[in-house]
Amino acid sequence: MVTPATRMQNIRYDIRGAVQQEAERLEKAGHPIIRLNIGNLAPYELYAPQEIVSDIAENLFHAQGYSHSKGLFQARKAVMQEAQRKGIEGVTHEHIFMGNGVSELISLVTQAIVNPDDEVLIPSPDYPLWSAAVTLAGGKPVYYQCDPVNQWAPNVKDIASKVTAKTRAILVINPNNPTGAVYSKALLTAIADIAETHQLLLFSDEIYDKVLFDETEHVSIAAVNPRVLCFTFNGLSKAYRAAGFRSGWLIISGAIDQAGDIFNALETLSSMRLCANVPAQLAVQTALGGSQSIEALCAPEGRLYEQRNFAVEHLNAIPGVSVNSPQGAMYLFVHLDPELYPIENDQDFAMQLLQQEKVLVVPGSGFNLASNQYFRIVFLPKIDDLHEAISRIARFLKERLAAPDT
Ligand SMILES: Cc1ncc(COP(=O)(O)O)c(C=O)c1O
């Protein structure tokens, strides 16, 4: 019997876990499923701007060779200009690495930086790829609390109290997946101050930085404190609806003089995978320059705006269900009142919801949260589909109220 490497033992990624596998089995058996589990826009007919698709098609012939391992000059230059727009100082194209999505760059950075037993401060709830990548690198995720009664803002005191001699970095996911929280400049300044005081690195996952509602502004933590070495991650998957093209970038900024051999380590890892997907890199300049089509989708009458409002209103109308109206991203992190719905195992809860009502959600514990009372949905489906899905969730919960042991 071949066994996986021991390093795989504690690696979890429940967004595509057992409940998703059951959904696939049910679909194969002919049951249509309403999928509310993954932030993948194209299946919901939220497509990339045509200009991006055309530019890739037009340049495909010239994308046959490997590019520089750090990425195409023109793509990195476009990212450099984006850094300038975001107020991140001192960035040249040399400080930018292109990757096969943010996911690959998370893996590269954690492999290059995290030593065995190093601690990385990670939000709870988190986007679980970060916990998995830190663990795979031999490090230890240490969770800081985010406060559900304060729009899920990170608790700065909790972050400070969890810094130890082993802490290497603080991660912020802003806008946040799964909570949709967008962090204020004051909050980011306070977090960056902790990093500066204790000479920690900052990792900032900003893949949803343009998916913003209600005129909320996004601030990059790299822009608020240039004295900290900061790693900022972003890409084409969300704002540009091009997740399948696999394109992302990493900006290293701030205390570059403290970066030592980190650039060399990252270049080695980048060279080992030769280069990032070249056709998609050809779309980065087009994407970042000019008008941003995501804005209309997030403004009143835009699909994402209207779907968010619909889902928030209808979920909150179910007895014992509550959810914040998120300021960013594309998720609702839904709370179930433990008095009405005491849930012992939220994986079982999601599995039963799937089997009974054919609605696929992600259990909250999959986001490294020490509570069974949450699940996450995307608000990407059109309103009719959201209506159907939320009605089924309401029916499921009503039955549970009537017969809590089933
Ligand atoms: C917070 C966060 N970071 C990174 C990713 C992955 O992005 P990419 O498609 O660029 O790998 C996701 C995907 O859902 C995400 O939610």
Side-chain angles (χ1 to χ4, degrees):
M1 193 60 99
V2 181
T3 48
T6 45
R7 77 174 78 84
M8 290 303 297
Q9 266 165 17
N10 297 319
I11 306 299
R12 285 180 58 190
Y13 189 72
D14 287 342
I15 298 178
R16 294 181 186 237
V19 188
Q20 150 102 10
Q21 282 161 21
E22 175 65 2
E24 281 166 20
R25 191 192 67 77
L26 286 167
E27 275 174 339
K28 275 190 197 139
H31 301 283
I33 305 291
I34 305 185
R35 287 175 168 267
L36 303 178
N37 63 324
I38 294 184
N40 189 16
L41 292 103
Y44 303 98
E45 297 176 33
L46 288 157
Y47 296 120
Q50 185 53 40
E51 196 188 353
I52 289 186
V53 180
S54 307
D55 279 11
I56 292 179
E58 203 166 305
N59 288 292
L60 204 52
F61 183 85
H62 305 289
Q64 296 174 60
Y66 297 127
S67 71
H68 188 289
S69 59
K70 286 174 80 171
L72 289 178
F73 179 81
Q74 66 171 75
R76 289 155 71 207
K77 204 78 190 171
V79 174
M80 185 196 101
Q81 286 164 348
E82 175 73 355
Q84 288 169 352
R85 281 191 291 272
K86 301 222 73 150
I88 307 176
E89 286 170 14
V91 176
T92 75
H93 71 283
E94 293 293 353
H95 303 135
I96 291 160
F97 289 77
M98 304 303 296
N100 293 302
V102 166
S103 308
E104 185 195 44
L105 293 162
I106 292 173
S107 173
L108 251 54
V109 165
T110 47
Q111 290 294 325
I113 291 177
V114 177
N115 270 312
D117 297 327
D118 278 358
E119 295 174 359
V120 178
L121 291 170
I122 291 183
S124 171
D126 74 341
Y127 173 60
L129 179 62
W130 276 101
S131 293
V134 167
T135 309
L136 203 53
K140 185 177 162 205
V142 174
Y143 295 102
Y144 64 81
Q145 291 160 10
C146 299
D147 189 357
V149 293
N150 186 17
Q151 294 278 334
W152 288 105
N155 180 331
V156 175
K157 278 195 186 136
D158 192 51
I159 298 179
S161 76
K162 288 187 171 146
V163 175
T164 71
K166 292 183 175 171
T167 310
R168 277 306 288 290
I170 305 174
L171 164 69
V172 293
I173 303 173
N174 174 36
N176 189 270
N177 176 7
T179 65
V182 182
Y183 303 157
S184 69
K185 191 172 177 190
L187 176 63
L188 294 167
T189 306
I191 296 173
D193 282 352
I194 299 173
E196 186 182 359
T197 306
H198 298 280
Q199 300 217 315
L200 307 175
L201 308 174
L202 280 173
F203 299 154
S204 188
D205 183 337
E206 302 184 359
I207 187 85
Y208 301 101
D209 74 332
K210 293 187 171 57
V211 188
L212 300 169
F213 304 97
D214 311 324
E215 296 182 14
T216 304
E217 272 183 41
H218 180 265
V219 176
S220 286
I221 197 166
V224 304
N225 187 337
R227 296 172 302 281
V228 180
L229 189 60
C230 189
F231 296 74
T232 304
F233 300 80
N234 211 330
L236 294 185
S237 290
K238 310 295 178 176
Y240 305 99
R241 284 96 69 203
F245 291 168
R246 309 308 300 128
S247 190
W249 50 86
L250 162 68
I251 303 169
I252 305 176
S253 66
I256 298 285
D257 52 327
Q258 293 166 21
D261 274 338
I262 293 296
F263 278 96
N264 291 338
L266 281 171
E267 265 201 73
T268 304
L269 290 174
S270 300
S271 302
M272 282 165 62
R273 58 82 157 116
L274 304 175
C275 68
N277 170 14
V278 178
Q281 289 187 59
L282 290 163
V284 170
Q285 192 175 27
T286 301
L288 289 174
S291 67
Q292 299 292 310
S293 55
I294 188 72
E295 286 171 8
L297 288 168
C298 295
E301 296 183 22
R303 253 191 77 182
L304 290 176
Y305 178 87
E306 299 298 336
Q307 288 164 195
R308 176 200 65 159
N309 289 357
F310 180 91
V312 168
E313 187 190 330
H314 286 77
L315 282 164
N316 279 321
I318 305 172
V321 174
S322 55
V323 62
N324 287 335
S325 187
Q327 300 302 291
M330 47 193 62
Y331 309 96
L332 300 179
F333 204 50
V334 184
H335 182 249
L336 299 168
D337 183 346
E339 301 271 312
L340 294 187
Y341 314 103
I343 292 167
E344 248 175 53
N345 180 327
D346 61 357
Q347 297 273 345
D348 291 349
F349 172 87
M351 194 66 98
Q352 284 161 16
L353 174 62
L354 172 68
Q355 287 167 338
Q356 214 169 303
E357 293 291 352
K358 312 292 180 289
V359 175
L360 178 57
V361 304
V362 185
S365 63
F367 303 93
N368 295 298
L369 183 73
S371 165
N372 284 323
Q373 294 300 134
Y374 291 89
F375 63 87
R376 188 196 77 173
I377 66 165
V378 293
F379 53 84
L380 297 174
K382 290 185 180 156
I383 286 194
D384 283 353
D385 294 329
L386 281 173
H387 186 261
E388 177 61 26
I390 294 168
S391 308
R392 292 190 199 180
I393 292 170
R395 185 167 63 196
F396 178 75
L397 289 172
K398 199 169 173 188
E399 276 182 30
R400 229 182 141 93
L401 265 186
D405 291 330
T406 56

